[in-house]
Amino acid sequence: MSRWDGIDEFVATAEAESFSRAAARLGLSTSGVSRAVASLEERLQTRLLYRTTRRVSLTDAGRAFLARCRQLIQDRDEALAAVGEEDGEPRGLLRMTCSAAYGERFVVPAVNAFALSHPRLSIEIDLDDAVRDIVSEGFDLAIRFGRLTDSRLIAKRLASRTRRLCASPDYLARAGAPKQIVDLEDHACVLGASDTWPFRDGEREIAFKPRGRWRCNSGQAVLDATLSGLGVCQLPNFYVDAAIAEGRLIPLLDNHRPADEGVWAVYPHLRLLPAKVRLLVEHLERVLAG
């Protein structure tokens, strides 16, 4: 039995607070993960986890042991990565996540071009509008927007996006155009996933709560509804710029447009960043900045 046995399983379980989620992350069976952690506790003669039917949590000894195990795993993985990538060529598996619409339109095509140039690299992309915990779920990289708060992650700005308020010419012919933010209270708003729309009044940030009879958590669906004349929407510029240029949508209240949001590559703190992550981030920065 290796003295490493059970450490990866323990760390994954502690971070996921679940044997089943840890098993999914590691590609193992739930019973196998549970047995490995129990065997580790037996060797240490110390309970590391409290177990209930719904979740697991760390004991005091487990919390102290987790910090050391994380460092051991990081050192091991960095050493393996350094040896495997001595020629600078990325290889192995890179797992990344991004929101669905932005990922499909911008990130995936850029990653595809990167993959063609690096045939030893395998890439797994998870497109999900939920903010995934990339540390506990074992992702190498995520693309995120706006303000970032997770201190476990390093962030590199790749590009920016802005939100634009707009409506179709047909709708505006019927309802008129809002002249100020408060006028939106009298308009049909086409609602997406967010409950508030950000605006700026000089240096002041304003959060407006739109109301309307139509809502969908898909940006593309919001765009289609707005083009159909159902009301006013606020969407990231990459959805609406082409329709505005073609005259199918009319921009509104541009003088109150919110500040640009950052588009960020985020990844866990590592003393030695693997070449596969470093080179892909550099590639995305070149492509997305344009």
Side-chain angles (χ1 to χ4, degrees):
M1 177 180 291
S2 167
R3 300 187 68 173
W4 280 95
D5 287 351
I7 290 181
D8 288 283
E9 291 87 348
F10 163 67
V11 171
T13 301
E15 291 179 341
E17 298 182 342
S18 162
F19 286 114
S20 59
R21 289 195 293 269
R25 169 179 163 181
L26 297 172
L28 302 172
S29 68
T30 301
S31 60
V33 171
S34 180
R35 284 195 302 269
V37 175
S39 177
L40 177 63
E41 289 177 317
E42 185 176 346
R43 296 204 312 274
L44 296 173
Q45 291 293 290
T46 303
R47 179 180 289 276
L48 301 173
L49 299 171
Y50 295 118
R51 297 154 172 86
T52 69
T53 55
R54 293 189 175 183
R55 58 173 294 205
V56 298
S57 58
L58 289 162
T59 65
D60 289 342
R63 192 171 294 107
F65 191 57
L66 175 63
R68 291 180 175 273
C69 287
R70 279 175 168 160
Q71 188 62 58
L72 284 171
I73 290 173
Q74 179 178 315
D75 290 343
R76 179 198 66 189
D77 291 347
E78 288 180 3
L80 292 172
V83 171
E85 296 178 343
E86 284 184 341
D87 57 1
E89 176 62 23
R91 67 194 72 193
L93 174 65
L94 186 149
R95 299 182 67 234
M96 64 180 298
T97 181
C98 181
S99 66
Y102 192 85
E104 288 174 348
R105 188 170 299 191
F106 299 109
V107 175
V108 170
V111 173
N112 290 346
F114 184 79
L116 285 171
S117 300
H118 300 287
R120 299 189 199 177
L121 182 66
S122 299
I123 297 175
E124 182 180 307
I125 306 174
D126 183 279
L127 296 181
D128 190 338
D129 290 334
V131 177
R132 307 290 293 273
D133 185 336
I134 67 173
V135 173
S136 67
E137 296 184 58
F139 287 100
D140 298 291
L141 176 68
I143 307 300
R144 293 188 178 160
F145 309 99
R147 295 187 178 96
L148 305 174
T149 58
D150 194 333
S151 61
R152 298 173 301 168
L153 305 177
I154 296 175
K156 183 175 180 62
R157 191 176 182 122
L158 302 176
S160 63
R161 69 173 189 177
T162 190
R163 294 179 179 271
R164 302 196 72 179
L165 188 77
C166 52
S168 70
D170 288 345
Y171 173 81
L172 294 175
R174 297 193 312 270
K179 303 298 183 185
Q180 50 189 344
I181 298 169
V182 69
D183 293 344
L184 291 172
E185 295 178 357
D186 299 321
H187 280 266
C189 295
V190 181
L191 308 177
S194 177
D195 291 327
T196 59
W197 289 353
F199 293 99
R200 262 194 317 185
D201 186 8
E203 297 301 315
R204 186 165 62 102
E205 294 184 354
I206 296 174
F208 174 77
K209 190 173 180 63
R211 292 177 296 176
R213 63 186 180 91
W214 194 100
R215 178 186 287 272
C216 183
N217 63 350
S218 162
Q220 186 60 49
V222 170
L223 173 62
D224 290 342
T226 306
L227 288 167
S228 299
L230 284 173
V232 180
C233 78
Q234 189 189 64
L235 282 171
N237 60 298
F238 66 84
Y239 282 107
V240 300
D241 280 350
I244 290 173
E246 295 163 1
R248 295 185 295 137
L249 289 177
I250 306 300
L252 305 168
L253 302 181
D254 264 356
N255 56 321
H256 292 296
R257 188 188 303 182
D260 288 356
E261 298 177 313
V263 179
W264 304 90
V266 298
Y267 43 88
H269 277 283
L270 294 172
R271 286 176 300 180
L272 177 63
L273 187 64
K276 61 185 180 182
V277 176
R278 175 177 52 81
L279 293 175
L280 178 55
V281 169
E282 292 173 356
H283 173 77
L284 290 172
E285 185 179 20
R286 290 192 298 270
V287 173
L288 298 183

